[in-house]
Amino acid sequence: MAKLPARLRLPTLNLKELEAIAIRLALERNFWGIAEAAEDLGISRWALMRRMRALQIRSPRSTRTPSDGDDREP
């Protein structure tokens, strides 16, 4: 098979990277609205939140840090 010229070659991405890109695009398109982004992606809101957590995708509006965990006061 003939090699494509460098300007036509696409970067190699694995499935996890492609999923993260799709999720980020859906979130940005919906102004980081989880329910709307999930609907665009065809998955439940909870599935989107699980995938965001697994891929370490956080809202730019998020103020919590990973160390904030369960240290909250009642």
Side-chain angles (χ1 to χ4, degrees):
M1 177 179 254
K3 281 195 140 192
L4 290 173
R7 64 184 171 79
L8 296 178
R9 281 187 231 141
L10 296 173
T12 303
L13 300 172
N14 64 33
L15 190 55
K16 208 175 224 186
E17 292 168 330
L18 288 172
E19 183 179 28
I21 290 168
I23 288 172
R24 285 182 207 282
L25 288 173
L27 286 164
E28 289 172 6
R29 193 171 39 247
N30 289 288
F31 304 100
W32 287 83
I34 300 289
E36 296 85 359
E39 187 175 333
D40 278 1
L41 293 166
I43 60 176
S44 74
R45 185 172 166 259
W46 298 109
L48 176 56
M49 291 182 354
R50 279 192 308 272
R51 289 179 179 172
M52 286 174 63
R53 191 175 307 116
L55 295 167
Q56 298 179 351
I57 297 173
R58 300 179 61 108
S59 167
R61 297 179 285 194
S62 177
T63 57
R64 289 187 60 183
T65 60
S67 62
D68 284 344
D70 295 320
D71 297 341
R72 291 178 273 158
E73 296 205 18

